[in-house]
Amino acid sequence: MMNFSKKLIIPVLGASLLMPTMANVHAEEMKPTAITPAADLRADLDYLLSEHFTLAVAAMTTAYEGSKDADEAFKALDQNAVDMEPAIASIYGEKGAAEFERIFREHNNYTDDFVKATKENDKAARAEVDKEVDQFVNEFATFLSTATEGKLPEAAAKEALRIHEDQVKETFEDYVEGDYEGAAKTYREGFQHMFDISKALSTSIVEQMPDKFEHTKADTPAADLRSTLNSLAAEHFALATMGMQKGFEGAEDYDYVGWSENTNTADFKAAIGSVYGDEGAAQFEQIWQGDHISAQAEFVSAKIKGDKEGEQAAKDKLHKFAQEFGTFLGSATAENLPTKAAQDAVKAHEDTVIKTFEQYAAGDYAGSYDTYREGYKLMFGVGQALGDAIVKQNRDKFAGTAMPTDMPKTGMGGASEQTANPLTIIWTALGSLAALLAVVVVRKRQLNK
């Protein structure tokens, strides 16, 4: 609440002149935005929890295969848990953070134990790990419920954690059994579930400590949009780096990682098609696949062949994509996301994808995982910048808080309010972006004739 005590000495005339300004400031504060203390908390949890999932799966599959990067994968997984401590400490203090880290890091150890039991076909050991996982679910759910003073109900926390553990386990078991299609599908489901957890947890924390988060909310339409962009962008990065490494190694599940990348792209394509028809959707897919994902595959192929010219050609193609896509984003958002900033962000993304792969191919696995984590985190900056730009451009679409009755209600509970379906919002926004991109492409072709 604003403190007026010092303003009482202002002359009456001065106060009357200030009133319109104060009203404008208040109106500005009430405008929807994707950047608030509560949305920031949710985004931080989006990042840390979803990264945990990607690294858990990587640690298990590389350990099972005896891959050269297995130790570094587990170190990255463990460091992810360590990195959660400052975020928890800022909310629940050092004692709470220490307890959080203890429970969470011990849980990571079960990952290694389960892999060993699977490789040795030790059913007794696997049963013991299952008991330890059950203990983790119960203990961690109790911790979260107690920490949030019941804002996140213990039963809801248990259900969400159990789903997470089952999805990690199922992804790994499908991989071991050679059911790569099943593994790919469960991977995507498990990845998305982490964003459900972060929404429920952040909303519960914000409800518990409204003053700390300046009475902002973590479940507004604008926050949902930012989180959805975080999810789409981060999943793309995880799949792109995974696909390049598996392509380099000639892994048996390479085609199914490609399938996952295509389904990630299809999330955009279907949205655009629902607004602009098949032709607009096909144009988007051609640009995204040809100048972006396909170029990454071309880079891997050139690396395998030792074709330096081919590598450079693929890099040039990716950098060209960064310039064109950045220009499109700047134009589409009416410079709410400045073109230069967008170009720099897309180029930084492409550079981290390339660097992660080059370090892996060179055997620098520690460096590769460090760059992976850097590049993964970068995608959440993209989600923040683009999300806020879209909100500023379409404030009326993000002003509400109630979810329309015809929208599906998702999540694991604990939210103070139900909000508009983020996929509907982002699909509409991305459809608008695609239409503007079509205009940019047509004009460029005309100028080049």
Side-chain angles (χ1 to χ4, degrees):
M1 181 175 292
M2 189 175 293
N3 187 346
F4 289 96
S5 59
K6 293 182 180 180
K7 293 184 173 66
L8 294 177
I9 63 175
I10 299 175
V12 175
L13 179 59
S16 65
L17 291 174
L18 281 173
M19 288 304 291
T21 302
M22 292 169 62
N24 288 339
V25 170
H26 182 67
E28 182 67 28
E29 289 175 349
M30 294 301 290
K31 288 181 179 179
T33 173
I35 304 175
T36 67
D40 288 346
L41 171 66
R42 179 176 172 183
D44 288 343
L45 293 175
D46 279 349
Y47 156 57
L48 290 167
L49 292 175
S50 64
E51 185 191 47
H52 162 76
F53 180 84
T54 70
L55 293 173
V57 173
M60 293 180 77
T61 55
T62 56
Y64 180 80
E65 295 292 355
S67 304
K68 295 178 180 179
D69 61 329
D71 289 343
E72 296 302 332
F74 188 83
K75 288 178 183 177
L77 175 64
D78 187 56
Q79 187 60 46
N80 166 270
V82 173
D83 290 346
M84 290 187 189
E85 184 175 3
I88 302 303
S90 69
I91 302 168
Y92 295 115
E94 296 298 333
K95 186 176 180 181
E99 180 66 0
F100 179 98
E101 183 184 353
R102 179 192 68 79
I103 297 171
F104 209 82
R105 292 185 78 181
E106 285 183 4
H107 144 256
N108 284 341
N109 290 331
Y110 309 153
T111 299
D112 190 46
D113 293 340
F114 187 76
V115 173
K116 290 179 180 178
T118 300
K119 289 187 72 170
E120 297 170 4
N121 196 25
D122 188 336
K123 294 182 180 179
R126 287 186 58 164
E128 187 62 32
V129 173
D130 286 340
K131 290 181 182 178
E132 292 175 345
V133 171
D134 287 340
Q135 181 180 346
F136 160 75
V137 168
N138 292 330
E139 185 178 19
F140 199 43
T142 300
F143 169 83
L144 292 175
S145 181
T146 301
T148 61
E149 298 176 330
K151 297 296 183 182
L152 178 59
E154 185 172 344
K158 281 184 180 180
E159 180 182 2
L161 291 170
R162 169 51 60 191
I163 290 172
H164 162 62
E165 293 300 328
D166 287 347
Q167 286 169 330
V168 172
K169 181 180 178 182
E170 185 177 348
T171 301
F172 173 68
E173 289 181 330
D174 283 346
Y175 175 85
V176 169
E177 293 169 4
D179 180 7
Y180 302 129
E181 180 179 1
K185 289 180 177 178
T186 307
Y187 182 94
R188 293 204 76 210
E189 292 170 3
F191 180 84
Q192 294 299 328
H193 180 64
M194 304 311 288
F195 291 82
D196 292 338
I197 294 177
S198 64
K199 179 175 183 176
L201 181 55
S202 61
T203 302
S204 300
I205 293 171
V206 168
E207 285 182 1
Q208 181 189 17
M209 305 176 180
D211 291 343
K212 188 177 183 67
F213 296 93
E214 301 176 15
H215 295 270
T216 58
K217 294 184 179 297
D219 57 351
T220 64
D224 283 347
L225 170 68
R226 178 177 171 182
S227 184
T228 299
L229 285 168
N230 287 343
S231 171
L232 292 169
E235 184 187 35
H236 161 68
F237 178 83
L239 293 172
T241 53
M242 184 194 304
M244 292 177 78
Q245 292 175 8
K246 287 184 178 292
F248 182 76
E249 297 292 351
E252 292 183 5
D253 61 331
Y254 171 70
D255 288 342
Y256 291 94
V257 178
W259 171 86
S260 296
E261 287 191 88
N262 289 337
T263 55
N264 176 266
T265 299
D267 288 341
F268 293 97
K269 181 182 177 182
I272 294 166
S274 69
V275 180
Y276 295 105
D278 293 341
E279 185 176 350
Q283 183 181 23
F284 175 86
E285 183 178 39
Q286 181 179 3
I287 294 169
W288 184 264
Q289 293 279 35
D291 292 336
H292 186 198
I293 295 177
S294 293
Q296 292 170 353
E298 291 167 10
F299 184 77
V300 174
S301 179
K303 175 68 73 174
I304 293 172
K305 297 174 183 176
D307 179 2
K308 297 297 182 183
E309 290 184 3
E311 289 182 38
Q312 189 58 53
K315 284 184 180 180
D316 291 344
K317 196 172 184 179
L318 290 169
H319 290 158
K320 179 183 177 183
F321 166 80
Q323 292 297 304
E324 293 181 346
F325 197 56
T327 299
F328 144 63
L329 291 175
S331 299
T333 60
E335 292 299 316
N336 281 292
L337 175 59
T339 294
K340 182 62 165 59
Q343 290 175 335
D344 289 346
V346 178
K347 184 178 184 300
H349 158 62
E350 295 302 336
D351 287 345
T352 53
V353 170
I354 292 170
K355 186 177 179 181
T356 299
F357 171 69
E358 287 184 321
Q359 289 173 317
Y360 176 87
D364 180 9
Y365 304 123
S368 182
Y369 274 100
D370 285 344
T371 305
Y372 172 87
R373 298 200 67 209
E374 175 189 336
Y376 190 85
K377 187 174 184 179
L378 175 68
M379 305 313 289
F380 292 80
V382 172
Q384 173 180 311
L386 181 56
D388 198 54
I390 294 173
V391 170
K392 286 178 180 177
Q393 189 181 21
N394 304 276
R395 290 193 189 276
D396 59 324
K397 296 182 184 295
F398 297 91
T401 58
M403 177 182 285
T405 56
D406 60 339
M407 295 296 181
K409 296 181 179 181
T410 60
M412 67 179 198
S416 61
E417 299 180 44
Q418 296 296 341
T419 56
N421 187 324
L423 285 177
T424 299
I425 296 170
I426 187 62
W427 285 5
T428 301
L430 285 171
S432 300
L433 296 180
L436 286 170
L437 177 58
V439 173
V440 171
V441 171
V442 169
R443 288 179 178 174
K444 182 175 180 181
R445 287 174 177 172
Q446 290 175 340
L447 289 173
N448 288 338
K449 285 183 178 181

